[in-house]
Each structure stands twice: as structure tokens, then as C-alpha cells.
Amino acid sequence: MSPYDLLIIGGGINGCALANMAAQRGLKVCLVDKSDFSSGTSSKSTKLMHGGIRYLEQGDITLVREALEERYVHCQSVPHLVKPLEFVIPVYERDPRPLWMMKAGVALYDFLAGGHRLGLHRFLNPKEALQVLPGLKSRGLTGAVSYYDAQMDDARLCLENALMAASRGAVLKNYVTVDSFDKKDGKVVGVNARDVLSGERFEILARRIVVAVGPWTNELKKMDFVQGQHKIRTTKGVHLVYAKNLSDKALLLQVQQDQRIFFVIPWKGQSLVGTTDTDFSGRVEDAQPAAADIDYLFSELRRVFPDEPFQKEKIVTTFAGLRPLVYASGHPSKVSRRHVIEESFSGVIYVMGGKYTTYRRIAGECLAKVLGEKKWQPTPEYPLFGSGSINEDSFELSRHYGIDRATIEYLESLYGTRYRNVLDLTVDQPSLKKKICTCSLAIEAQIVYSIRVEMAKTAEDIMGRRVGLRYQKCDTKRCQQVIEKYIAQGIPV
């Protein structure tokens, strides 16, 4: 078998974007991941594509400006997955950052965004803040500021990079793990791989290899016998989804006890709350929300919404992601989110650190290193698998397919311009119009599409990362059962 030009280990956002860009440049590309695409950190974020307003406090102006530019590019290129969202920061008397500092911060944030702004900031007095945020604690409130950032569907954004790469000829294999590197005269020429689901072993040869495995980086470096100075420091971020929309605006809140911030964000008709930021030293696969993490978030929620009877029974789901930060000492929240790209003696390129919002720049810089180019030049557009404008009338589509308009519009918001591909499955098989469950608008055609087109292999691939039903409150659990039935019977690809 002839070697690939580029083998990428890791199907998170950096790896999938690199595969996409490399395939676009005409390289023969293979990407493998030992689990599913975006199953690690890339699907366990706060679902924000943001400039990082808190990084202004660290003085990292360049990172913030780059992130603001990337945020704008994605809002324009994939509006079905990245959408502007207004944030409000209420400020209280005992908060570690006073109102004047927050006013200066949002003003600087908009200034740095320049022509890439998504909306203008504003200042609110206490009365105005309580009108915007009913139920918010009034005692000690000195005022508030608002600004704009963007909300994203992190798992599907990663998946659309993977699908775009595949459409350009890249070979993508999920559930394929790398057991060892294959070396010749000290240089890596390939890997010995194994299919996790079937157990089949095989070799993959490649002229260049990039490792983009996030929190698993240290493990791959040991496999490569690398003793480089840059190592990954993993910090755990815990989120919970609460079965009530606490606010139509996103909230950025200050934690008075440890000076951190956390978010309360409207998400699928509910509230996404997070995140924590604590060091993690165990096995990456063992990272789970601890009871103390949930108590921490609930305590802060009760402080800010004193009249809301928060009940843990209303938690829809919780999840923990590990941030793969380039090692530095100090409090986890103070460690830089900048990335490092380094090449080992054996010729393996390692991508470390970074933040989700700047993934395109990280992948672009890595590709430049692979190709021996001096610098990657960002483009003003970044089309992905579902990019493009939708000009069709949902009423006419509803009549044509015999599916209600709400479902049509839901599919548009999930698949962008590819939503017709899902609907077309129902023409030959009308039974696929059925709702998967009463908990959402999702239809059974999406299950078939996930398997046939989007490379889903397990029920969790579909529940958690293709359709996102893991975030919906469901009392019957029928959605899980229906999807598992499809998986068990198999779908012809």
C-alpha cells in the first residue's frame, strides 16, 4: 500500500480541521481516532465560540483579537452552527471585579473586534438589569454590562470539518487506535493500528504524521519516546444542563469565593451551566463530574437566583471535559490558552493547547509546518459541509415532504444546506418521518443519515454528537431504545 502524505491521529476539532485543510490542498490524507469524532474535549465545551473576554485580564490582546476574527468568520460561514448571542454580566458589591472594570472590558472587547463585531455593548443600571434578567438577585447589585459573543454546536462543527475533509477525498476512520509507531532509522514512517470494534490489526504508512489528541498527548509522546519540554496540563471543566431556561440572555457571573467566572446559557430550551476549572491527574477516560463540582455550580446558581428552587432532580445531564493546556504553573484559570506546535526527533508533529475558537488558525499553522511553508494566511471565509444560504420556503417543503414546518426548520438549524439530504430519505421510506421520541423534533431519518453519511457507529455517537438528544430531558428513554434498535439491525451504507 502506498503511504499517505499525511496521517492525523486524533479526531477532535484540530485534527478534523487539519484533515479538511490538507485535503483541500490536494494531500492524500488519513485521520484516525480511537473513539468517535469529537468524543473527547471537542464535544464537552461550554458551546461558545468566543473571543475570551476574560483573557483581557491576562493581557493577551493578540489571542483575543484572533479569536474575535475567527468568531466572525464562522458566524458568516456556518450560521446554522455558530450564532450571535447577547451576554449580560451583573456586578455585585462583593464581586472581585467592580463595575467600572467590566465597563472598560466590554468597551475594549468591542474595540478589538472592530468590523467583526456581532453587536454593540451597553451599560445597565440596577433597575434595567433586573428588567432584562427577572429573578436575578437584587441585593448588592451595582449594575450590569452586556456584550455579544457566539454560541456553537461544538460536536457538529467538528463533524462538519470531518465530513468536508471526506468530501475532498480524505480517509477518516473512527474507532481505530494507534498501538505503536513504526520507525525506520529513528524516523516514524507509519503506525501499527487496531480497529477497536472488530479487533483487526493493520499498518498505516505516511510521509508525515501529526498528533492532535488533546489530553492524550502525553501518552502518545511516551509511545514516541519524546522527552520534549512541552507537556500537557489537563484541567477539568464540568457542566450541567438544567431543565429550565433561567434566562433568555446568556449570563457571565463572577464567583466571589475564588474569583472565577461561570456561565448560565440558554441551550435547547434549557440552561447550560458551567464551568469549573480544576487540575486533573487521573486517566483521561476516567474524567467525570464529581459531586463537589455539581455542588459548586448549584451553590453559585442559588446565590444569583435566590428565589429559584433549584433541584438536582431537574439536572438533565452533566459532562466533564479536559482542557489540554500547555503546561505552566499557577492557578488553572490563569494558564494561557495559547497553542504550541512542535516536531519530535522522530519527525512526529504534536499540536498542543489552544482554544476551540482559534482551531482554524491552529490547523492552518500546523499544515504550513507539514508543507514546509513559512506562514499560513487566514481567509475571510471557511465553508464547511452544511455551509451556504437556504432560500427555500419551509411551508412549501412541508407540503412536499409531508412533514411539519417546525421539523423542517429544526433540520435546517442542524444540517444547514444538507437538510434536504435527510428529508430525501423519507421519500423512498416514509416511515422515517416518524419522531424518534416525544422529547424532541428529531425524526428517524436522522438515525439512518447519521450511520450512512456521518460515520456513526454506536448509539452514543448519534445521541451525543450527531443529533444531540443527550441534552434533552426525556422521561421515557424511548429515543435511546429506538437508536439502539437501528444500530443492532444495521443500516446498509
Side-chain angles (χ1 to χ4, degrees), residues 30-160:
C30 178
L31 179 147
V32 298
D33 191 286
K34 68 176 182 178
S35 186
D36 186 31
F37 311 115
S38 84
S39 58
T41 303
S42 295
S43 63
K44 297 178 175 66
S45 75
T46 316
K47 320 299 181 189
L48 298 179
M49 179 159 280
H50 59 141
I53 193 168
R54 69 187 182 90
Y55 304 137
L56 294 176
E57 193 174 23
Q58 301 172 11
D60 206 338
I61 301 298
T62 302
L63 177 62
V64 173
R65 182 183 284 113
E66 289 176 353
L68 290 170
E69 291 175 2
E70 290 302 304
R71 181 193 68 177
Y72 182 82
V73 168
H74 282 79
C75 281
Q76 299 299 308
S77 298
V78 279
H80 61 293
L81 296 178
V82 183
K83 302 174 183 180
L85 181 64
E86 184 179 6
F87 286 71
V88 178
I89 309 176
V91 181
Y92 292 89
E93 291 173 352
R94 294 178 54 207
D95 281 354
R97 303 166 190 85
L99 186 60
W100 69 264
M101 184 182 293
M102 289 303 186
K103 287 182 176 180
V106 295
L108 177 58
Y109 202 56
D110 273 0
F111 174 77
L112 292 173
H116 300 122
R117 285 196 305 263
L118 303 182
L120 289 173
H121 69 275
R122 57 186 177 131
F123 306 141
L124 305 171
N125 61 39
K127 182 179 179 181
E128 292 169 331
L130 293 171
Q131 289 174 341
V132 171
L133 303 170
L136 194 70
K137 176 184 173 183
S138 60
R139 184 177 179 182
L141 182 65
T142 60
V145 297
S146 84
Y147 69 100
Y148 281 83
D149 252 323
Q151 187 171 47
M152 67 173 174
D153 187 328
D154 53 3
R156 289 209 60 87
L157 187 57
C158 182
L159 181 65
E160 288 216 0

Side-chain angles (χ1 to χ4, degrees), residues 4-6 19-31 161-173 385:
Y4 288 96
D5 297 320
L6 175 63
N20 180 20
M21 292 180 177
Q24 184 183 27
R25 293 287 296 272
L27 273 65
K28 184 181 177 184
V29 179
C30 178
L31 179 147
N161 273 276
L163 293 171
M164 197 67 170
S167 72
R168 288 169 166 164
V171 175
L172 287 91
K173 299 176 180 291
F385 198 66

Side-chain angles (χ1 to χ4, degrees), residues 52-325:
I53 193 168
R54 69 187 182 90
Y55 304 137
L56 294 176
E57 193 174 23
Q58 301 172 11
D60 206 338
I61 301 298
T62 302
L63 177 62
V64 173
R65 182 183 284 113
E66 289 176 353
L68 290 170
E69 291 175 2
E70 290 302 304
R71 181 193 68 177
Y72 182 82
V73 168
H74 282 79
C75 281
Q76 299 299 308
S77 298
V78 279
H80 61 293
L81 296 178
V82 183
K83 302 174 183 180
L85 181 64
E86 184 179 6
F87 286 71
V88 178
I89 309 176
V91 181
Y92 292 89
E93 291 173 352
R94 294 178 54 207
D95 281 354
R97 303 166 190 85
L99 186 60
W100 69 264
M101 184 182 293
M102 289 303 186
K103 287 182 176 180
V106 295
L108 177 58
Y109 202 56
D110 273 0
F111 174 77
L112 292 173
H116 300 122
R117 285 196 305 263
L118 303 182
L120 289 173
H121 69 275
R122 57 186 177 131
F123 306 141
L124 305 171
N125 61 39
K127 182 179 179 181
E128 292 169 331
L130 293 171
Q131 289 174 341
V132 171
L133 303 170
L136 194 70
K137 176 184 173 183
S138 60
R139 184 177 179 182
L141 182 65
T142 60
V145 297
S146 84
Y147 69 100
Y148 281 83
D149 252 323
Q151 187 171 47
M152 67 173 174
D153 187 328
D154 53 3
R156 289 209 60 87
L157 187 57
C158 182
L159 181 65
E160 288 216 0
N161 273 276
L163 293 171
M164 197 67 170
S167 72
R168 288 169 166 164
V171 175
L172 287 91
K173 299 176 180 291
N174 51 355
Y175 295 99
V176 169
T177 188
V178 171
D179 289 330
S180 63
F181 288 108
D182 188 4
K183 295 184 179 182
K184 183 177 182 179
D185 298 327
K187 300 296 182 180
V188 171
V189 295
V191 299
N192 297 301
R194 173 171 46 88
D195 188 301
V196 174
L197 301 180
S198 70
E200 178 190 359
R201 296 178 183 274
F202 50 93
E203 185 181 41
I204 304 174
L205 301 177
R207 295 183 179 88
R208 298 307 307 266
I209 296 178
V210 171
V211 170
V213 294
W216 285 274
T217 301
N218 294 340
E219 294 181 22
L220 270 290
K221 280 194 163 192
K222 288 179 182 177
M223 189 185 296
D224 188 19
F225 305 111
V226 173
Q227 302 296 324
Q229 68 177 92
H230 292 113
K231 292 187 177 180
I232 290 298
R233 175 182 178 179
T234 51
T235 68
K236 186 174 72 170
V238 170
H239 299 79
L240 65 87
V241 178
Y242 192 71
K244 181 178 180 180
N245 186 14
L246 298 169
S247 170
D248 292 332
K249 312 288 186 187
L251 299 178
L252 186 158
L253 300 158
Q254 301 186 63
V255 179
Q256 294 178 349
Q257 58 181 317
D258 60 11
Q259 300 189 13
R260 272 195 49 73
I261 63 169
F262 75 106
F263 295 96
V264 179
I265 303 169
W267 177 250
K268 298 180 182 293
Q270 302 159 126
S271 295
L272 175 63
V273 182
T275 176
T276 61
D277 199 354
T278 55
D279 278 309
F280 182 83
S281 58
R283 291 176 67 249
V284 175
E285 291 82 0
D286 296 335
Q288 297 291 333
D293 298 321
I294 305 304
D295 289 342
Y296 173 91
L297 295 175
F298 254 57
S299 174
E300 290 304 313
L301 282 173
R302 291 190 178 105
R303 180 178 66 83
V304 179
F305 293 97
D307 298 327
E308 179 66 33
F310 287 104
Q311 301 171 323
K312 291 189 177 179
E313 293 76 18
K314 289 188 177 181
I315 296 177
V316 177
T317 188
T318 62
F319 57 93
L322 295 180
R323 304 176 188 88
L325 307 179

